[in-house]
Amino acid sequence: MDNKLDLLQSKLAEAKLGGGQSRIDTQHKKGKLSARERIHFLLDPDSFEEIGALVTHRCSDFGMTEQSYLGDGVVTGYGTVNGRLVYVFAQDFTVFGGSLSETHAEKICKVMDLAVRNGAPMIGLNDSGGARIQEGVNSLGGYADIFYRNVQSSGVVPQISAIMGPCAGGAVYSPAMTDFIVMVQNSSYMFVTGPNVVKTVTNEEVSSEDLGGASAHSTKSGVTHLVASNDLDCIAQIKRLLSYLPQNCEDKPPMLPYKLEEEYREQLNRIVPENASQPYDIKEVIAGICDTESFMELQENYADNIVIGFARLAGRSIGIVANQPMSLAGVLDVNSSKKAARFVRFCDCFNIPLLVLVDVPGFLPGTDQEWNAIITNGAKLLYAFSEATVPRITVITRKAYGGAYDVMNSKHIGADLNFAWPSAEIAVMGAKGASEIIFKREIDAAPDPAAKLLEKEKEYADTFANPYRAAARGFIDEVIEPAETRRKLIKGFAMLEHKAVARPKRKHGNVPL
Ligand code: HXC
């Protein structure tokens, strides 16, 4: 028996070394942790249980029989994060550049299946040169097996992808179909076709970093939700993200203990400027409403005219969607609509109540927007809110104009509670634009058209630039002092805790993708 135990120990020790110490050292020199170190820092101490450490590839072409590493370039298993079960895979760049073989894919699929069957989040730490070139179609099939599972798992358990090295070619589509992507600055990149192919096809010269680094995907494409400064920061961000999420679609998000106190927040009375065209930072409003430093923003530098993220309100996990008057006056456009719609759908999948803060002058006009399908893309957000059955509360802080009023979680599309601050202006459009249209004849005929326009503007503003018309119709449930917002929301979300909505039987709706 002793010999057999020795054999087992030596095999496990071999598996732990992956592609060897010198390759691990190379990872370190690049500022990267090894796959096992990443798992070590992600999971609670001693909680990791490995699955498939002794797996080897089955390829015999190109001399591969002689080159084989236990585990085959990916470490898989389960463990806990802050006491909660998660499943994990970490690609090991020291083994064939973390490339994905048939068996490597099978290992990932095995933990993905366990995650769904047992209802716990799936976390993928990606660091791979893509399809194992020596394996040809076997490797492509392995990718497709993972893609298929990404889709089957979608909306069942949260899926989080960290990109901690290369992620190129078709491989990008697995992270793309998970719920959240975190990229590590300067050591990760994602693209469908790399700089060489780009140069050949379009003659553009671009570096990997510029084409698909964390900065490009956090500002230009919106592919990544979070950017980390290094591997440890990436892991810390994943842990923080998990703290807002339930384990699966039938679970509720964790509720932190909270003792109700004086919830009046005086500073909220002083944020919206007197002048309606002067911007202010909606994040000040969010900070004033939510539990101290609880807001975790996502896609911060992409489509920043809308702000999305998780926060806590009296310990309760909530999702926030808020127009940002500091950027493009908070207007809705193609990118902000897509960004918010996907987030709303995530929250709805996973029972996370939604708080919507509205200050929106409408949709952004222009050929660029129309030709990039603001019609279809704006509809995504309208659709996402309309189908969401989680508790939904809206606070209109200032403008709620035109179609954007309807879209931004209005009462008409199923919001549960709609509040407005006294500064709210709920109308088809701003007073100036409206007056120029409906009083055109009168203004043109006046001896002093400019003075007439001002007079009519004031008349229109006095009638509509307030929340009282909407409140009289019940479209707004209450006009509230800003300082009372936190208290109202805490009570509102508690009241909605057991909300249940029956939907008509159907296979699935047809969201305007
Ligand atoms: C097999 C691979 C590999 C791969 C890297 N390696 N990528 N082995 N299949 N795809 C091996 C290398 O041979 C090397 O082995 C080791 O991993 C480390 O690679 P290096 O090149 O030394 O590392 P580095 O300089 O950091 O460059 C990393 C890299 C580069 C940029 C990822 O290796 C690279 O360009 N690899 C090929 C990428 C690629 O074209 N993949 C296929 C894409 S198509 P040794 O033994 O020398 O250490 C694809 C389709 C997916 O993925 C489709 C899904 C539907």
Side-chain angles (χ1 to χ4, degrees):
M1 187 65 183
D2 278 357
N3 284 349
K4 290 188 175 166
L5 281 179
D6 286 348
L7 176 64
L8 172 64
Q9 295 308 338
S10 80
K11 276 188 181 289
L12 292 178
E14 186 187 333
K16 285 216 163 84
L17 262 187
Q21 191 57 47
S22 69
R23 286 191 169 102
I24 294 177
D25 293 343
T26 310
Q27 284 273 100
H28 289 165
K29 276 190 204 124
K30 289 183 191 165
K32 292 161 72 175
L33 296 172
S34 71
R36 283 177 191 279
E37 287 163 343
R38 287 167 177 166
I39 289 179
H40 168 82
F41 287 114
L42 174 68
L43 300 181
D44 297 337
D46 298 324
S47 73
F48 181 54
E49 291 296 332
E50 189 167 355
I51 295 173
L54 305 180
V55 165
T56 52
H57 68 70
R58 293 189 281 262
C59 179
S60 54
D61 297 309
F62 305 106
M64 286 296 275
T65 319
E66 288 79 55
Q67 295 182 64
S68 193
Y69 299 89
L70 294 177
D72 201 26
V74 64
V75 184
T76 54
Y78 63 97
T80 57
V81 173
N82 295 321
R84 301 164 78 211
L85 178 65
V86 297
Y87 293 84
V88 63
F89 73 81
Q91 291 179 312
D92 181 354
F93 194 83
T94 68
V95 175
F96 302 114
S99 59
L100 186 131
S101 67
E102 184 184 19
T103 44
H104 176 129
E106 281 170 5
K107 285 182 67 178
I108 294 176
C109 289
K110 199 187 261 184
V111 281
M112 291 180 81
D113 290 342
L114 282 168
V116 167
R117 272 189 234 135
N118 297 286
M122 181 70 229
I123 300 165
L125 309 179
N126 296 269
D127 186 357
S128 166
R132 176 90 46 90
I133 294 167
Q134 295 90 332
E135 292 209 6
V137 70
N138 291 357
S139 159
L140 300 185
Y143 268 120
D145 290 337
I146 295 171
F147 300 158
Y148 181 74
R149 280 165 177 78
N150 286 132
V151 177
Q152 306 313 308
S153 315
S154 183
V156 181
V157 293
Q159 301 180 79
I160 300 174
S161 300
I163 313 298
M164 308 178 89
C167 181
V172 296
Y173 287 113
S174 174
M177 289 194 292
T178 63
D179 298 303
F180 299 109
I181 296 180
V182 191
M183 288 185 78
V184 182
Q185 216 147 25
N186 302 322
S187 62
S188 73
Y189 54 80
M190 295 178 82
F191 36 67
V192 174
T193 49
N196 292 342
V197 180
V198 169
K199 168 87 175 117
T200 311
V201 176
T202 70
N203 214 21
E204 281 173 282
E205 296 225 21
V206 64
S207 67
S208 290
E209 183 63 26
D210 287 348
L211 183 63
S215 149
H217 285 313
S218 60
T219 58
K220 293 187 167 72
S221 71
V223 163
T224 194
H225 297 84
L226 292 161
V227 173
S229 48
N230 55 42
D231 282 14
L232 283 178
D233 182 35
C234 177
I235 288 161
Q237 296 202 41
I238 294 171
K239 286 181 170 180
R240 184 167 188 221
L241 187 54
L242 282 168
S243 73
Y244 297 93
L245 313 184
Q247 291 291 90
N248 58 62
C249 63
E250 291 178 27
D251 190 23
K252 292 226 164 185
M255 178 104 182
L256 298 189
Y258 184 84
K259 200 166 154 297
L260 278 185
E261 291 165 9
E262 176 49 79
E263 305 297 350
Y264 190 82
R265 295 286 184 272
E266 219 275 321
Q267 74 269 28
L268 290 171
N269 285 346
R270 284 179 269 109
I271 297 178
V272 176
E274 281 294 323
N275 177 352
S277 49
Q278 201 179 316
Y280 60 94
D281 189 353
I282 200 68
K283 291 187 206 172
E284 271 187 51
V285 176
I286 294 172
I289 290 175
C290 297
D291 297 357
T292 310
E293 295 192 353
S294 70
F295 183 52
M296 181 177 197
E297 188 171 357
L298 301 170
Q299 291 174 297
E300 184 177 354
N301 297 314
Y302 173 76
D304 59 1
N305 41 326
I306 208 153
V307 173
I308 59 167
F310 296 111
R312 287 202 178 78
L313 196 60
R316 184 187 305 279
S317 180
I318 59 169
I320 296 182
V321 176
N323 306 116
Q324 172 57 290
M326 297 254 284
S327 173
L328 294 172
V331 79
L332 281 178
D333 60 0
V334 168
N335 291 346
S336 60
S337 301
K338 287 196 288 190
K339 169 178 164 180
R342 186 157 164 79
F343 181 68
V344 168
R345 297 194 95 218
F346 176 84
C347 292
D348 192 43
C349 286
F350 291 105
N351 312 316
I352 300 172
L354 282 163
L355 168 62
V356 181
L357 302 175
V358 181
D359 187 347
V360 63
F363 282 95
L364 184 63
T367 49
D368 175 67
Q369 288 293 306
E370 296 296 345
W371 296 343
N372 281 298
I374 184 62
I375 296 175
T376 313
N377 288 295
K380 287 179 182 153
L381 185 54
L382 177 56
Y383 192 105
F385 276 128
S386 299
E387 75 171 349
T389 58
V390 285
R392 288 155 54 189
I393 305 184
T394 300
V395 179
I396 301 177
T397 57
R398 192 165 61 180
K399 293 170 195 158
Y401 289 167
Y405 156 75
D406 281 344
V407 170
M408 288 300 294
N409 204 37
S410 64
K411 184 65 102 191
H412 320 274
I413 61 169
D416 297 293
L417 283 174
N418 294 65
F419 298 120
W421 287 1
S423 46
E425 302 174 11
I426 306 169
V428 173
M429 59 174 77
K432 185 166 184 288
S435 307
E436 281 168 351
I437 296 168
I438 59 176
F439 303 119
K440 184 173 186 312
R441 274 172 219 267
E442 226 177 305
I443 292 165
D444 288 350
D448 183 351
K452 194 72 184 170
L453 173 61
L454 279 181
E455 178 197 319
K456 288 293 172 189
E457 225 181 291
K458 182 169 181 324
E459 188 183 323
Y460 186 90
D462 288 346
T463 312
F464 285 127
N466 62 65
Y468 300 107
R469 284 280 177 124
R473 293 295 311 270
F475 301 159
I476 292 299
D477 296 300
E478 244 188 301
V479 180
I480 59 174
E481 182 189 345
E484 289 282 11
T485 308
R486 178 173 160 84
R487 192 175 65 79
K488 293 275 178 192
L489 292 174
I490 292 172
K491 291 181 82 172
F493 281 120
M495 177 273 285
L496 293 165
E497 182 154 353
H498 302 293
K499 180 182 175 187
V501 179
R503 286 283 184 228
K505 186 174 182 305
R506 62 176 163 185
K507 191 170 172 190
H508 58 70
N510 189 11
V511 58
L513 292 172

